[in-house]
Amino acid sequence: MLIHIKPAKAAVPVRKPNSEYLKADGEKVERSSFWVRRLNDGDVVEVKAAKAATTKAGA
């Protein structure tokens, strides 16, 4: 399962398991125990997708 996360603070880089840094604007990553720990520690935040605005057909 993929989740979209970004660093909680722009000034604090977050290292990924492969030693690269997480992009400041966020990335989709595989949900794993590593990322769940980062979420629980407050190092990263989950980015919720903006829902498309729905329009009602009016008469």
Side-chain angles (χ1 to χ4, degrees):
M1 178 175 154
L2 292 176
I3 56 173
H4 191 179
I5 58 173
K6 69 176 186 175
K9 297 178 183 176
V12 181
V14 176
R15 197 175 290 272
K16 298 190 292 187
N18 65 0
S19 298
E20 295 176 0
Y21 287 104
L22 188 64
K23 294 177 184 174
D25 57 343
E27 293 182 45
K28 288 190 179 194
V29 296
E30 187 68 33
R31 184 178 175 91
S32 66
S33 59
F34 178 84
W35 291 117
V36 170
R37 283 194 309 270
R38 301 292 79 75
L39 283 163
N40 290 338
D41 291 344
D43 296 334
V44 298
V45 293
E46 190 168 357
V47 178
K48 300 292 183 185
K51 293 184 179 180
T54 57
T55 59
K56 294 182 180 179

